[in-house]
Amino acid sequence: MDAVSLARHLRPRFQLDWKGIHGASHWARVRAIGLHMARTTGADPLVVELFAWLHDTQRHNDGRDPLHGDRSARYAHSLQGELFDLTSRQLELLQEACRHHSDGFTDGDITVCTCWDADRLDLGRVGITPDPERLCTPFAQTEATRSLAHGRAVRWAGTRWH
Ligand SMILES: [Fe+2]
Protein backbone atom coordinates (compact mmCIF):
# COMPACT_ATOMS: atom_id res chain seq x y z
CA MET A 1 0.00 0.00 0.00
CA ASP A 2 1.32 3.38 -1.02
CA ALA A 3 0.03 6.33 1.01
CA VAL A 4 0.55 8.80 -1.86
CA SER A 5 -1.58 6.76 -4.29
CA LEU A 6 -4.20 6.36 -1.62
CA ALA A 7 -4.33 10.11 -0.91
CA ARG A 8 -4.53 10.83 -4.67
CA HIS A 9 -7.44 8.45 -4.90
CA LEU A 10 -9.28 9.76 -1.84
CA ARG A 11 -8.93 13.52 -2.18
CA PRO A 12 -11.08 14.16 -5.30
CA ARG A 13 -13.74 11.79 -3.99
CA PHE A 14 -14.01 13.20 -0.47
CA GLN A 15 -17.26 15.15 -0.11
CA LEU A 16 -16.34 17.22 2.95
CA ASP A 17 -13.63 19.75 3.82
CA TRP A 18 -10.24 18.10 3.26
CA LYS A 19 -8.86 20.36 6.02
CA GLY A 20 -11.88 19.91 8.30
CA ILE A 21 -12.51 17.98 11.50
CA HIS A 22 -13.03 14.70 9.63
CA GLY A 23 -10.43 15.37 6.93
CA ALA A 24 -6.84 14.46 6.16
CA SER A 25 -5.15 15.92 9.24
CA HIS A 26 -7.48 13.89 11.48
CA TRP A 27 -6.64 10.79 9.44
CA ALA A 28 -2.91 11.54 9.75
CA ARG A 29 -3.14 11.90 13.55
CA VAL A 30 -5.20 8.70 13.85
CA ARG A 31 -2.55 6.96 11.75
CA ALA A 32 0.32 8.30 13.88
CA ILE A 33 -1.13 7.42 17.27
CA GLY A 34 -2.53 4.14 15.89
CA LEU A 35 0.85 2.98 14.62
CA HIS A 36 2.47 4.12 17.87
CA MET A 37 -0.08 2.04 19.80
CA ALA A 38 0.25 -0.95 17.46
CA ARG A 39 3.89 -1.42 18.47
CA THR A 40 2.72 -2.17 22.02
CA THR A 41 -0.76 -3.64 21.56
CA GLY A 42 0.29 -6.03 18.78
CA ALA A 43 -2.35 -4.69 16.39
CA ASP A 44 -1.82 -5.27 12.67
CA PRO A 45 -0.19 -2.00 11.52
CA LEU A 46 -1.45 -2.24 7.93
CA VAL A 47 -5.05 -2.57 9.09
CA VAL A 48 -4.56 0.35 11.51
CA GLU A 49 -3.11 2.50 8.75
CA LEU A 50 -5.90 1.73 6.29
CA PHE A 51 -8.50 2.33 8.98
CA ALA A 52 -6.98 5.76 9.62
CA TRP A 53 -7.20 6.76 5.96
CA LEU A 54 -10.63 5.29 5.21
CA HIS A 55 -12.90 5.34 8.26
CA ASP A 56 -14.31 8.86 7.76
CA THR A 57 -14.04 9.10 3.97
CA GLN A 58 -17.68 8.23 3.38
CA ARG A 59 -19.21 10.84 5.66
CA HIS A 60 -21.99 12.91 4.18
CA ASN A 61 -21.65 15.63 6.82
CA ASP A 62 -19.46 16.61 9.78
CA GLY A 63 -22.25 16.05 12.30
CA ARG A 64 -24.53 13.11 12.94
CA ASP A 65 -24.09 10.52 10.21
CA PRO A 66 -24.69 7.12 11.83
CA LEU A 67 -24.23 5.08 8.64
CA HIS A 68 -20.84 6.49 7.63
CA GLY A 69 -19.00 3.62 9.32
CA ASP A 70 -20.97 1.04 7.38
CA ARG A 71 -20.37 2.92 4.13
CA SER A 72 -16.64 3.10 4.84
CA ALA A 73 -16.53 -0.67 5.46
CA ARG A 74 -18.10 -1.29 2.07
CA TYR A 75 -15.78 1.26 0.49
CA ALA A 76 -12.75 -0.51 2.00
CA HIS A 77 -13.95 -3.75 0.43
CA SER A 78 -14.26 -2.05 -2.96
CA LEU A 79 -10.62 -0.89 -2.85
CA GLN A 80 -9.23 -4.34 -2.10
CA GLY A 81 -7.17 -5.49 -5.08
CA GLU A 82 -7.12 -1.97 -6.49
CA LEU A 83 -5.20 0.04 -3.89
CA PHE A 84 -4.14 -2.70 -1.49
CA ASP A 85 -4.04 -6.46 -1.14
CA LEU A 86 -5.07 -7.61 2.31
CA THR A 87 -5.53 -11.17 3.46
CA SER A 88 -9.14 -12.11 4.00
CA ARG A 89 -8.60 -11.83 7.78
CA GLN A 90 -7.07 -8.35 7.46
CA LEU A 91 -9.96 -7.21 5.29
CA GLU A 92 -12.42 -8.60 7.80
CA LEU A 93 -10.72 -6.69 10.64
CA LEU A 94 -10.57 -3.47 8.61
CA GLN A 95 -14.25 -3.70 7.77
CA GLU A 96 -15.19 -4.48 11.37
CA ALA A 97 -13.16 -1.49 12.61
CA CYS A 98 -14.67 0.85 10.01
CA ARG A 99 -18.25 -0.39 10.39
CA HIS A 100 -18.48 0.09 14.15
CA HIS A 101 -15.98 2.86 14.90
CA SER A 102 -18.60 5.34 16.06
CA ASP A 103 -20.87 2.87 17.89
CA GLY A 104 -19.13 3.23 21.26
CA PHE A 105 -17.99 -0.39 21.61
CA THR A 106 -14.97 -1.03 23.83
CA ASP A 107 -14.48 -4.73 23.28
CA GLY A 108 -13.18 -6.80 20.39
CA ASP A 109 -10.11 -7.97 18.50
CA ILE A 110 -6.95 -6.08 19.50
CA THR A 111 -6.46 -4.67 16.00
CA VAL A 112 -10.04 -3.39 15.89
CA CYS A 113 -9.72 -1.96 19.41
CA THR A 114 -6.49 -0.18 18.52
CA CYS A 115 -8.23 1.44 15.53
CA TRP A 116 -11.13 2.63 17.67
CA ASP A 117 -8.84 4.00 20.36
CA ALA A 118 -6.70 5.85 17.81
CA ASP A 119 -9.82 7.60 16.51
CA ARG A 120 -11.18 8.43 19.98
CA LEU A 121 -7.83 9.76 21.17
CA ASP A 122 -8.20 12.57 18.60
CA LEU A 123 -11.43 13.97 20.06
CA GLY A 124 -9.51 16.97 21.41
CA ARG A 125 -9.79 18.49 17.93
CA VAL A 126 -13.48 19.12 18.64
CA GLY A 127 -13.02 20.16 22.27
CA ILE A 128 -13.67 16.76 23.88
CA THR A 129 -11.20 15.20 26.31
CA PRO A 130 -11.25 11.42 25.73
CA ASP A 131 -12.71 9.50 28.67
CA PRO A 132 -10.39 6.58 29.60
CA GLU A 133 -13.45 4.45 30.36
CA ARG A 134 -14.56 4.78 26.75
CA LEU A 135 -11.22 3.58 25.44
CA CYS A 136 -10.66 -0.11 24.69
CA THR A 137 -7.01 -0.87 25.46
CA PRO A 138 -4.96 -0.35 28.62
CA PHE A 139 -2.22 1.25 26.52
CA ALA A 140 -4.59 3.95 25.22
CA GLN A 141 -5.85 4.54 28.75
CA THR A 142 -2.40 5.46 30.05
CA GLU A 143 -1.75 9.10 30.82
CA ALA A 144 1.25 9.07 28.46
CA THR A 145 -0.73 7.89 25.41
CA ARG A 146 -3.72 10.10 26.11
CA SER A 147 -1.63 13.23 26.58
CA LEU A 148 0.49 12.51 23.50
CA ALA A 149 -2.58 12.23 21.26
CA HIS A 150 -4.60 14.93 23.00
CA GLY A 151 -1.74 17.44 22.74
CA ARG A 152 -1.58 16.93 18.97
CA ALA A 153 -5.36 17.22 18.60
CA VAL A 154 -5.62 20.38 20.67
CA ARG A 155 -2.67 22.01 18.90
CA TRP A 156 -4.33 21.37 15.54
CA ALA A 157 -7.59 22.88 16.80
CA GLY A 158 -5.68 25.92 18.04
CA THR A 159 -3.97 26.58 14.74
CA ARG A 160 -7.22 26.11 12.92
CA TRP A 161 -9.25 28.70 14.75
CA HIS A 162 -6.71 31.42 15.53
FE1 LIG B 1 -12.46 9.61 12.83
Side-chain angles (χ1 to χ4, degrees), residues 5 10 14 16 36 43 58 62 74 111 121 131:
S5 316
L10 297 176
F14 187 52
L16 304 179
H36 171 72
Q58 302 306 303
D62 276 322
R74 283 187 271 122
T111 293
L121 285 167
D131 177 351

PDB file of all heavy atoms in Angstrom, residues 5 10 14 16 36 43 58 62 74 111 121 131:
ATOM      1  N   SER A   5      -0.521   7.193  -3.352  1.00  0.00           N
ATOM      2  CA  SER A   5      -1.576   6.760  -4.286  1.00  0.00           C
ATOM      3  C   SER A   5      -2.936   6.775  -3.613  1.00  0.00           C
ATOM      4  O   SER A   5      -3.945   7.147  -4.220  1.00  0.00           O
ATOM      5  CB  SER A   5      -1.339   5.336  -4.781  1.00  0.00           C
ATOM      6  OG  SER A   5      -0.029   5.137  -5.121  1.00  0.00           O
ATOM      7  N   LEU A  10      -8.240   9.322  -2.774  1.00  0.00           N
ATOM      8  CA  LEU A  10      -9.284   9.761  -1.842  1.00  0.00           C
ATOM      9  C   LEU A  10      -9.660  11.230  -2.002  1.00  0.00           C
ATOM     10  O   LEU A  10     -10.829  11.588  -1.896  1.00  0.00           O
ATOM     11  CB  LEU A  10      -8.816   9.526  -0.394  1.00  0.00           C
ATOM     12  CG  LEU A  10      -8.569   8.061   0.001  1.00  0.00           C
ATOM     13  CD1 LEU A  10      -8.031   7.994   1.414  1.00  0.00           C
ATOM     14  CD2 LEU A  10      -9.850   7.248  -0.134  1.00  0.00           C
ATOM     15  N   PHE A  14     -13.543  12.856  -1.822  1.00  0.00           N
ATOM     16  CA  PHE A  14     -14.009  13.202  -0.465  1.00  0.00           C
ATOM     17  C   PHE A  14     -15.002  14.359  -0.552  1.00  0.00           C
ATOM     18  O   PHE A  14     -14.710  15.406  -1.135  1.00  0.00           O
ATOM     19  CB  PHE A  14     -12.800  13.580   0.395  1.00  0.00           C
ATOM     20  CG  PHE A  14     -13.114  13.795   1.846  1.00  0.00           C
ATOM     21  CD1 PHE A  14     -13.798  12.841   2.587  1.00  0.00           C
ATOM     22  CD2 PHE A  14     -12.704  14.964   2.488  1.00  0.00           C
ATOM     23  CE1 PHE A  14     -14.078  13.040   3.934  1.00  0.00           C
ATOM     24  CE2 PHE A  14     -12.973  15.170   3.842  1.00  0.00           C
ATOM     25  CZ  PHE A  14     -13.661  14.205   4.561  1.00  0.00           C
ATOM     26  N   LEU A  16     -16.386  16.171   1.915  1.00  0.00           N
ATOM     27  CA  LEU A  16     -16.341  17.215   2.951  1.00  0.00           C
ATOM     28  C   LEU A  16     -15.053  18.027   2.828  1.00  0.00           C
ATOM     29  O   LEU A  16     -14.285  17.868   1.881  1.00  0.00           O
ATOM     30  CB  LEU A  16     -16.465  16.560   4.336  1.00  0.00           C
ATOM     31  CG  LEU A  16     -17.716  15.695   4.517  1.00  0.00           C
ATOM     32  CD1 LEU A  16     -17.732  15.078   5.916  1.00  0.00           C
ATOM     33  CD2 LEU A  16     -18.982  16.505   4.288  1.00  0.00           C
ATOM     34  N   HIS A  36       1.751   4.084  16.589  1.00  0.00           N
ATOM     35  CA  HIS A  36       2.468   4.123  17.870  1.00  0.00           C
ATOM     36  C   HIS A  36       1.894   3.065  18.826  1.00  0.00           C
ATOM     37  O   HIS A  36       2.626   2.294  19.450  1.00  0.00           O
ATOM     38  CB  HIS A  36       2.335   5.527  18.463  1.00  0.00           C
ATOM     39  CG  HIS A  36       2.825   5.664  19.861  1.00  0.00           C
ATOM     40  ND1 HIS A  36       4.162   5.644  20.192  1.00  0.00           N
ATOM     41  CD2 HIS A  36       2.154   5.810  21.033  1.00  0.00           C
ATOM     42  CE1 HIS A  36       4.288   5.782  21.507  1.00  0.00           C
ATOM     43  NE2 HIS A  36       3.085   5.876  22.038  1.00  0.00           N
ATOM     44  N   ALA A  43      -1.397  -4.838  17.492  1.00  0.00           N
ATOM     45  CA  ALA A  43      -2.353  -4.690  16.390  1.00  0.00           C
ATOM     46  C   ALA A  43      -1.633  -4.791  15.049  1.00  0.00           C
ATOM     47  O   ALA A  43      -0.436  -4.501  14.951  1.00  0.00           O
ATOM     48  CB  ALA A  43      -3.037  -3.330  16.488  1.00  0.00           C
ATOM     49  N   GLN A  58     -16.343   8.335   3.971  1.00  0.00           N
ATOM     50  CA  GLN A  58     -17.683   8.226   3.384  1.00  0.00           C
ATOM     51  C   GLN A  58     -18.726   9.034   4.155  1.00  0.00           C
ATOM     52  O   GLN A  58     -19.939   8.806   4.008  1.00  0.00           O
ATOM     53  CB  GLN A  58     -18.107   6.757   3.289  1.00  0.00           C
ATOM     54  CG  GLN A  58     -17.137   5.909   2.473  1.00  0.00           C
ATOM     55  CD  GLN A  58     -16.887   6.481   1.088  1.00  0.00           C
ATOM     56  OE1 GLN A  58     -17.829   6.680   0.315  1.00  0.00           O
ATOM     57  NE2 GLN A  58     -15.630   6.770   0.773  1.00  0.00           N
ATOM     58  N   ASP A  62     -20.378  16.635   8.641  1.00  0.00           N
ATOM     59  CA  ASP A  62     -19.458  16.615   9.779  1.00  0.00           C
ATOM     60  C   ASP A  62     -20.183  16.436  11.114  1.00  0.00           C
ATOM     61  O   ASP A  62     -19.560  16.498  12.172  1.00  0.00           O
ATOM     62  CB  ASP A  62     -18.620  17.902   9.817  1.00  0.00           C
ATOM     63  CG  ASP A  62     -17.396  17.823   8.906  1.00  0.00           C
ATOM     64  OD1 ASP A  62     -16.780  16.737   8.828  1.00  0.00           O
ATOM     65  OD2 ASP A  62     -17.064  18.837   8.270  1.00  0.00           O
ATOM     66  N   ARG A  74     -17.839  -0.816   3.433  1.00  0.00           N
ATOM     67  CA  ARG A  74     -18.104  -1.287   2.066  1.00  0.00           C
ATOM     68  C   ARG A  74     -17.113  -0.676   1.079  1.00  0.00           C
ATOM     69  O   ARG A  74     -16.656  -1.320   0.133  1.00  0.00           O
ATOM     70  CB  ARG A  74     -19.550  -0.992   1.670  1.00  0.00           C
ATOM     71  CG  ARG A  74     -20.513  -1.990   2.311  1.00  0.00           C
ATOM     72  CD  ARG A  74     -21.945  -1.855   1.835  1.00  0.00           C
ATOM     73  NE  ARG A  74     -22.660  -0.889   2.673  1.00  0.00           N
ATOM     74  CZ  ARG A  74     -23.247   0.203   2.203  1.00  0.00           C
ATOM     75  NH1 ARG A  74     -23.216   0.493   0.920  1.00  0.00           N
ATOM     76  NH2 ARG A  74     -23.871   1.029   3.015  1.00  0.00           N
ATOM     77  N   THR A 111      -6.677  -5.583  17.129  1.00  0.00           N
ATOM     78  CA  THR A 111      -6.460  -4.666  15.995  1.00  0.00           C
ATOM     79  C   THR A 111      -7.638  -3.702  15.860  1.00  0.00           C
ATOM     80  O   THR A 111      -7.459  -2.488  15.676  1.00  0.00           O
ATOM     81  CB  THR A 111      -6.239  -5.469  14.695  1.00  0.00           C
ATOM     82  OG1 THR A 111      -4.999  -6.179  14.812  1.00  0.00           O
ATOM     83  CG2 THR A 111      -6.190  -4.562  13.481  1.00  0.00           C
ATOM     84  N   LEU A 121      -8.881   8.957  20.546  1.00  0.00           N
ATOM     85  CA  LEU A 121      -7.830   9.762  21.173  1.00  0.00           C
ATOM     86  C   LEU A 121      -7.658  11.114  20.478  1.00  0.00           C
ATOM     87  O   LEU A 121      -6.952  11.978  20.989  1.00  0.00           O
ATOM     88  CB  LEU A 121      -6.507   8.991  21.170  1.00  0.00           C
ATOM     89  CG  LEU A 121      -6.412   7.861  22.203  1.00  0.00           C
ATOM     90  CD1 LEU A 121      -5.209   6.961  21.905  1.00  0.00           C
ATOM     91  CD2 LEU A 121      -6.313   8.417  23.626  1.00  0.00           C
ATOM     92  N   ASP A 131     -12.452  10.126  27.372  1.00  0.00           N
ATOM     93  CA  ASP A 131     -12.714   9.503  28.667  1.00  0.00           C
ATOM     94  C   ASP A 131     -12.033   8.123  28.669  1.00  0.00           C
ATOM     95  O   ASP A 131     -12.363   7.277  27.835  1.00  0.00           O
ATOM     96  CB  ASP A 131     -14.238   9.356  28.813  1.00  0.00           C
ATOM     97  CG  ASP A 131     -14.640   8.643  30.087  1.00  0.00           C
ATOM     98  OD1 ASP A 131     -13.751   8.110  30.794  1.00  0.00           O
ATOM     99  OD2 ASP A 131     -15.853   8.596  30.357  1.00  0.00           O
TER     100      ASP A 131
END
